[in-house]
Amino acid sequence: MKSTNFILSTAFILLFSCLSFGQINNTYNFNPDNLLNHVKELASDAYEGRRTGTPGASKAKKYIIEQLELLEVGSLTQNFEQPFTFQSRNKSYNGVNILGSIKGTEFPDKYIVLSAHYDHEGVKNGQIYSGADDDASGVSALLAFAESFKKNPPKHSVILAFFDAEELGLQGSKFFVDNPIVDLKTIVLNINLDMVSRNENNELYVTGIKSHSHLETMYSQLDTPETITIIAGHDGTDGKQNWMFSSDHAPFHMKKIPFLYFGVEDHQDYHQPTDDYENIHPEFYKTAVEHIINIFYKLDVMTF
């Protein structure tokens, strides 16, 4: 996707060339214990795999909204909820997106959507598919963003979108862009997080970079420590599995909205009942989320 709404001024180019881009501070922008505890909670058996339309999904919805209220995040809709219905394999489902809103300090009429899906596979053959990495890790990361915004308010307005029914065909994100609450022309970027809590090689992939020249410029200036490597790829140009349409960023991409998708490569517990909290990599996870938040702040100062 070569067309984009990004307008990067010379001043910003000079600024970024002088800064160590994406550098990690000595302290986190969020409480790392909270980050882990949210994953542990949402991936517990009490939520029964959070399958769309089940009591476990309703329990997860209630938990997320409670956390948003504690963090004093505004609601984009009444009670944070955007309900929708859809058909999948001759079955009717009722889904609910959860949408928080934070007003930008400099660009209040332009939005960056931060997204993660809170649904998972539910219970199959008596086994709970907990979905710790997929995608309780992304959900908790969005709550970490909300913590960070309390101390460092964003310049652009932010929508925190916890999408439902991703596992049933990206239904929640499709509904969001097809039934917009804000004008799609005011959404300047989607940052989607899906599976960000574990990788044996300490590698985190970001997809979407090569579709947008200014994002590629940003990536070229990225400076990360040896503890984690952020790799641009899985975009259909590197011989790896193409992730351009693999998660909730796809409906934004289809609407020609720029996006970044952060995720890890599939692991042995992907879509298995063993995707449990005990199998995530806490230090990798905390570092990955810190980097993603710092990347957001670098993008947030750009004029879109």
Side-chain angles (χ1 to χ4, degrees), residues 93-107:
Y93 289 88
N94 295 314
V96 184
N97 292 330
I98 304 166
L99 305 174
S101 179
I102 298 168
K103 189 173 182 178
T105 59
E106 292 189 19
F107 311 109

Side-chain angles (χ1 to χ4, degrees), residues 23-124:
Q23 193 170 18
I24 297 298
N25 297 323
N26 290 328
T27 57
Y28 290 105
N29 282 320
F30 55 88
N31 185 321
D33 291 333
N34 288 345
L35 181 76
L36 299 177
N37 288 336
H38 292 317
V39 176
K40 187 175 184 179
E41 175 68 19
L42 289 167
S44 68
D45 288 352
Y47 293 82
E48 298 181 324
R50 309 185 306 277
R51 185 170 178 82
T52 298
T54 67
S58 295
K59 186 179 179 71
K61 179 192 69 175
K62 180 180 178 182
Y63 179 83
I64 293 166
I65 291 175
E66 287 175 349
Q67 299 310 309
L68 292 174
E69 290 174 338
L70 287 173
L71 291 165
E72 301 177 328
V73 173
S75 176
L76 189 65
T77 62
Q78 186 175 8
N79 300 323
F80 295 94
E81 298 183 16
Q82 184 189 39
F84 61 96
T85 60
F86 64 97
Q87 297 282 329
S88 178
R89 297 181 180 178
N90 298 318
K91 182 178 179 180
S92 180
Y93 289 88
N94 295 314
V96 184
N97 292 330
I98 304 166
L99 305 174
S101 179
I102 298 168
K103 189 173 182 178
T105 59
E106 292 189 19
F107 311 109
D109 298 323
K110 293 184 177 181
Y111 294 87
I112 297 175
V113 177
L114 303 175
S115 60
H117 71 93
Y118 72 93
D119 66 300
H120 194 53
E121 294 286 322
V123 180
K124 297 180 179 181

Side-chain angles (χ1 to χ4, degrees), residues 100-219:
S101 179
I102 298 168
K103 189 173 182 178
T105 59
E106 292 189 19
F107 311 109
D109 298 323
K110 293 184 177 181
Y111 294 87
I112 297 175
V113 177
L114 303 175
S115 60
H117 71 93
Y118 72 93
D119 66 300
H120 194 53
E121 294 286 322
V123 180
K124 297 180 179 181
N125 299 318
Q127 292 185 297
I128 297 175
Y129 285 63
S130 301
D133 189 36
D134 185 13
D135 185 31
S137 67
V139 169
S140 184
L142 261 58
L143 295 175
F145 266 100
E147 282 189 29
S148 179
F149 292 152
K150 291 194 71 173
K151 297 177 289 185
N152 304 289
K155 298 182 184 299
H156 290 81
S157 289
V158 169
I159 296 172
L160 294 172
F162 302 84
F163 290 130
D164 197 358
E166 189 270 354
E167 301 287 5
L168 293 171
L170 316 181
Q171 300 294 338
S173 51
K174 287 178 181 177
F175 186 85
F176 177 84
V177 299
D178 288 339
N179 301 271
I181 297 169
V182 301
D183 189 337
L184 291 184
K185 293 180 180 178
T186 67
I187 298 177
V188 297
L189 179 67
N190 167 233
I191 298 178
N192 184 42
L193 283 66
D194 191 353
M195 298 173 57
V196 293
S197 67
R198 56 181 290 187
N199 183 266
E200 297 289 348
N201 300 316
N202 292 320
E203 294 175 345
L204 178 70
Y205 276 86
V206 55
T207 300
I209 291 292
K210 291 185 179 180
S211 297
H212 313 285
S213 60
H214 297 309
L215 294 179
E216 194 166 10
T217 299
M218 176 277 294
Y219 177 76

Side-chain angles (χ1 to χ4, degrees), residues 3-15:
S3 63
T4 177
N5 292 326
F6 283 73
I7 302 174
L8 185 60
S9 68
T10 302
F12 281 124
I13 294 173
L14 292 174
L15 172 65

